[in-house]
Amino acid sequence: MEKAYKRSRVMYIIEAALEYLISIFFANELLPELTKSLGISDGVTGIISAIISLGCVFQLVSILIRNERAKPIVLAFSIANQILFMLLYLIPLFGGSRVAKIVIFVIGILLAYLLYYIVHPKKINWFMSLVDDNKRGKFTSKKEIISLISGMGFSFLMSWIISYFNEKGKVETAFIIFASTIFVLMIAHSLTMIFSVEKKQEVSEKKQGIGEIFSTFRNKGVILVAVVFVLWNIATNSTKPFLGTYMLNTLGLAPWFRIGFLPAVSAVARIIASVILGIYADKKSFSKMVSICFGIAGASFLAITLCSPELGESNGYIMFTIHYILYGIAMGGINSSLINLCYDYAPVGKRVGALAVTQAISGVIGFSTATVFGLLVDKIQKNGNSIFGISIYAQQVVSIIGILFSVLAMLYVLIFLVLKKKKATVKLANEKSEKIEK
């Protein structure tokens, strides 16, 4: 049986890489090409990009689905959501009004992510149960690195395709190629699941309801960490969803640079940083590490505030390269830190529920943030890219908000997690010293 588990672990690494390649078609770099063809504004495109933030809310549904085998439902839902992703790239080819196409697109992408996130926790639990507990860190690191590396070459290829057919005025042909590629990836992705085995999972006799999960918020430690999640979600969702359209529609950056080079340079920075930051976190703490990462993220948003077409063509290329490198470094530590902080501060028996609800609440706030700032972006652009009489681009404005909340998140962690823990440690040491003296 161990041989089957080993094969399944290899399948999991391939499955994750294939799933990552499909996600590239809906990342901030490539999605604007599709929304532009549908006549969707920059602000609305940003809101659509932030739909992924609602994924954590959809995951709560997974908790209510109780079944012994995860494989059948995960496989079925994965095929369904990937078919929807494929069809989204065919919408520009359909007849009908522009409004109808936009409505179908929004409903389609929302439904696709709903199906994806409902079974995502079950898929993770299925595959990670095949990995030795003492090797999970090394395994997940290897899995992520392989996905990022495979995505580099793939992104360059997709950027070349969209650039080639854009120049010929046949962007619909590129969309057909993209849809066909998603279909092929879906087949390969499904096969990795079919050829993977599943350990029999014990179903808890006690049904875990939403009310019981939300009760974890009575714990002060969970509340402390939840605020960190919220601040970071506001920082990133106020800014990141709108940068793709800024590069495409305002700065006119080349497809090879937007879709190929930037994700690649960010991935390299993230891989290197994750190793270094992981060592730092083990020696110091995840709190100290994430506070540094929030500061770096703030610096990455600062690069966007200094980016404007009036400063010359090279300005956009330079500033976005700086942004992607710094943001990649920051993300090399933020994702793992947030999860580990939740596990550090939540009671052992309520860690899963605490993580689920914390991510769900911060996800809703993140999407709401993107919605509000999406409307702001459209308003500033309709006003001739000026606010209060000051000439400034909408994406520069939202980047200032990103800086503000990144700094707030950094200060919050330093004050309420790092310093508080340090004071608690000193107090405990003093109490022990007094007991020894007595």
Side-chain angles (χ1 to χ4, degrees):
M1 199 63 185
E2 182 54 39
K3 189 176 181 180
Y5 290 158
K6 185 177 181 180
R7 184 190 71 237
S8 299
R9 288 193 289 270
V10 174
M11 289 293 107
Y12 182 28
I13 292 173
I14 298 172
E15 180 274 336
L18 292 170
E19 190 173 82
Y20 177 68
L21 296 184
I22 293 174
S23 73
I24 288 173
F25 289 102
F26 299 92
N28 289 333
E29 294 77 28
L30 196 51
L31 181 62
E33 297 283 355
L34 179 55
T35 57
K36 182 181 179 181
S37 71
L38 293 170
I40 298 175
S41 69
D42 288 10
V44 176
T45 296
I47 295 171
I48 292 172
S49 299
I51 284 177
I52 195 170
S53 300
L54 292 175
C56 299
V57 181
F58 301 152
Q59 287 187 47
L60 292 178
V61 179
S62 177
I63 298 170
L64 304 178
I65 301 175
R66 299 171 69 234
N67 57 317
E68 291 188 14
R69 295 193 65 210
K71 185 173 179 177
I73 190 172
V74 171
L75 179 60
F77 275 51
S78 293
I79 292 173
N81 81 66
Q82 287 165 11
I83 287 175
L84 283 170
F85 282 142
M86 178 189 71
L87 293 175
L88 290 174
Y89 268 95
L90 298 178
I91 291 177
L93 281 65
F94 298 159
S97 67
R98 183 180 71 88
V99 174
K101 288 181 180 180
I102 293 174
V103 171
I104 292 172
F105 178 81
V106 172
I107 293 174
I109 197 169
L110 185 61
L111 183 58
Y113 277 116
L114 171 64
L115 293 173
Y116 172 80
Y117 279 107
I118 283 178
V119 295
H120 185 65
K122 294 190 176 298
K123 186 195 75 174
I124 298 298
N125 190 53
W126 161 21
F127 280 113
M128 289 306 291
S129 67
L130 305 173
V131 182
D132 188 298
D133 286 343
N134 297 320
K135 297 179 180 179
R136 285 186 176 182
K138 185 178 179 180
F139 179 83
T140 52
S141 175
K142 183 195 297 184
K143 177 170 66 71
E144 182 175 359
I145 289 172
I146 290 174
S147 292
L148 290 171
I149 292 174
S150 63
M152 290 181 196
F154 188 78
S155 294
F156 273 110
L157 177 59
M158 294 306 107
S159 69
W160 179 83
I161 290 173
I162 194 71
S163 179
Y164 177 80
F165 287 103
N166 260 330
E167 288 177 5
K168 289 184 172 293
K170 297 180 179 179
V171 70
E172 290 82 6
T173 304
F175 292 160
I176 293 173
I177 293 173
F178 289 167
S180 302
T181 305
I182 293 173
F183 180 77
V184 173
L185 291 172
M186 178 192 74
I187 298 298
H189 181 263
S190 300
L191 289 173
T192 61
M193 292 188 174
I194 291 171
F195 290 113
S196 297
V197 298
E198 180 184 7
K199 279 186 177 180
K200 187 176 181 180
Q201 302 293 318
E202 293 184 7
V203 181
S204 176
E205 294 181 3
K206 184 180 179 183
K207 187 174 181 179
Q208 195 173 27
I210 294 293
E212 185 179 342
I213 296 169
F214 271 92
S215 69
T216 57
F217 266 81
R218 294 172 185 168
N219 182 274
K220 292 181 179 179
V222 175
I223 296 173
L224 279 173
V225 176
V227 175
V228 181
F229 274 73
V230 168
L231 290 173
W232 172 241
N233 266 270
I234 293 175
T236 188
N237 281 289
S238 65
T239 308
K240 288 296 287 183
F242 310 103
L243 299 186
T245 53
Y246 192 46
M247 289 188 283
L248 174 64
N249 300 329
T250 306
L251 299 171
L253 304 183
W256 69 265
F257 180 78
R258 292 184 287 108
I259 304 168
F261 176 76
L262 289 179
V265 75
S266 182
V268 171
R270 182 170 178 172
I271 290 170
I272 296 172
S274 63
V275 176
I276 298 172
L277 292 171
I279 295 171
Y280 178 85
D282 288 337
K283 288 185 177 180
K284 302 295 182 178
S285 70
F286 282 102
S287 298
K288 288 183 179 179
M289 190 257 273
V290 79
S291 66
I292 293 172
C293 290
F294 285 148
I296 296 172
S300 78
F301 294 135
L302 177 62
I304 304 302
T305 65
L306 302 175
C307 181
S308 171
E310 276 78 10
L311 297 176
E313 185 180 357
S314 63
N315 175 259
Y317 287 93
I318 294 170
M319 289 303 155
F320 265 94
T321 299
I322 294 172
H323 167 73
Y324 268 77
I325 291 174
L326 292 177
Y327 194 79
I329 292 171
M331 292 308 296
I334 288 174
N335 279 353
S336 62
S337 291
L338 292 179
I339 294 172
N340 280 288
L341 282 179
C342 199
Y343 274 63
D344 284 344
Y345 284 85
V348 176
K350 295 186 177 183
R351 285 176 175 176
V352 175
L355 183 60
V357 177
T358 298
Q359 288 183 327
I361 291 175
S362 59
V364 170
I365 292 174
F367 180 74
S368 301
T369 300
T371 302
V372 171
F373 283 97
L375 298 173
L376 176 64
V377 165
D378 281 348
K379 187 172 182 179
I380 293 174
Q381 289 180 335
K382 287 177 182 177
N383 200 37
N385 286 309
S386 67
I387 183 170
F388 304 124
I390 302 171
S391 181
I392 188 170
Y393 286 87
Q395 283 82 354
Q396 291 177 298
V397 175
V398 295
S399 294
I400 294 172
I401 305 300
I403 296 170
L404 175 63
F405 277 91
S406 294
V407 172
L408 283 175
M410 178 185 70
L411 294 175
Y412 177 86
V413 171
L414 287 173
I415 295 170
F416 292 99
L417 298 185
V418 176
L419 293 180
K420 191 173 182 180
K421 188 174 183 179
K422 186 177 180 180
K423 288 180 180 178
T425 303
V426 172
K427 184 179 179 182
L428 183 62
N430 290 335
E431 288 176 352
K432 286 183 179 179
S433 178
E434 288 175 2
K435 286 181 180 179
I436 293 172
E437 289 177 0
K438 289 180 180 178

